[in-house]
């Protein structure tokens, strides 16, 4: 899994452009739900399946649409936050993204670099790797909470939208 702080920060930065801070915190927090499987000592279980997430979300979204339509965008954002977690994991490691339809966990590896000498040579590689899905209980889990790069990125992703909304509110107060 990419570090947990990044799983939170990316949907936070996107949701903050549309929702209140409280609603944004809800959306971003739900992006952490797939990793709750570690409490069962199984990591990247069916909580990391787009199929399962979608099947669970359809009745919830339908219920929100019927009973509380004004919250439909928020509910959809919550679903997309969970999806963002799963997609981020796919680019990090083997993830059972299509469980139970596909018994394989998928990893997408994409890398790009450039060699600059007398010429400029870009190198781009992308591959999809699979291995059988395995929900074995782990004995130990060594997962990063944050890295230096992730901490800086996450801080920016959280702080910039907050600062922008504060500045926008102050501008509106002065204009009004
Ligand atoms: Zn995960």
């Amino acid at each position: 899994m990419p570090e947990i702080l990044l799983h939170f920060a990316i949907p936070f930065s996107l949701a903050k452009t549309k929702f209140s801070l409280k609603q944004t915190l809800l959306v971003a927090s739900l992006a952490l739900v797939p990793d709750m499987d570690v409490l069962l000592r199984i990591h990247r279980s069916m909580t990391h399946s787009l199929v399962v997430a979608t099947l669970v979300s359809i009745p919830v979204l339908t219920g929100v649409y019927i009973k509380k339509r004004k919250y439909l965008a928020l509910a959809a954002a919550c679903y997309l936050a969970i999806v963002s977690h799963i997609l981020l994991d796919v680019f990090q490691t083997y993830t059972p993204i299509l469980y139970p339809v596909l018994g394989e966990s998928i990893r997408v590896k994409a890398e790009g670099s450039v060699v600059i000498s007398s010429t400029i040579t870009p190198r781009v590689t992308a591959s999809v790797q699979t291995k059988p899905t395995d929900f074995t209980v782990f004995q130990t889990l060594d997962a990063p909470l944050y890295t230096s790069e992730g901490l800086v990125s996450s801080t920016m992703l959280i702080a910039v939208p907050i600062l922008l909304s504060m500045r926008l509110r102050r501008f509106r107060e002065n204009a009004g």
Side-chain angles (χ1 to χ4, degrees):
M1 72 178 143
E3 53 204 75
I4 201 116
L5 193 54
L6 209 49
H7 276 308
F8 179 88
I10 291 173
F12 183 96
S13 68
L14 296 173
K16 188 67 189 84
T17 61
K18 178 159 178 63
F19 301 108
S20 70
L21 182 58
K22 257 189 205 173
Q23 291 172 325
T24 299
L25 287 170
L26 171 69
V27 170
S29 298
L30 281 170
L32 307 179
V33 165
D35 279 346
M36 292 298 110
D37 58 4
V38 297
L39 300 175
L40 302 172
R41 298 176 70 90
I42 302 170
H43 190 41
R44 282 179 222 98
S45 70
M46 64 181 72
T47 58
H48 286 72
S49 166
L50 284 182
V51 177
V52 172
T54 302
L55 288 176
V56 170
S57 297
I58 286 173
V60 174
L61 290 170
T62 305
V64 171
Y65 179 77
I66 293 168
K67 297 198 174 209
K68 299 271 184 185
R69 194 168 300 184
K70 70 176 182 175
Y71 293 115
L72 185 61
L74 180 62
C78 291
Y79 166 69
L80 291 174
I82 292 169
V83 168
S84 76
H85 179 118
I86 296 168
L87 293 179
L88 282 170
D89 275 5
V90 166
F91 281 89
Q92 177 78 22
T93 189
Y94 293 96
T95 304
I97 189 168
L98 296 176
Y99 176 86
V101 176
L102 185 68
E104 304 273 312
S105 291
I106 296 171
R107 176 184 189 188
V108 177
K109 198 169 183 180
E111 293 175 346
S113 63
V114 63
V115 176
I116 301 174
S117 57
S118 58
T119 60
I120 297 175
T121 311
R123 288 189 191 144
V124 177
T125 59
S127 64
V128 177
Q129 302 164 335
T130 62
K131 75 173 195 179
T133 296
D134 179 16
F135 293 155
T136 306
V137 173
F138 63 77
Q139 295 304 311
T140 57
L141 176 68
D142 185 9
L145 290 177
Y146 64 89
T147 61
S148 301
E149 301 89 350
L151 183 62
V152 171
S153 304
S154 299
T155 302
M156 298 286 281
L157 286 167
I158 293 169
V160 169
I162 290 175
L163 293 173
L164 283 176
S165 69
M166 288 169 64
R167 187 166 171 82
L168 187 63
R169 190 176 343 133
R170 192 171 302 155
F171 176 77
R172 283 182 183 147
E173 285 170 3
N174 290 341

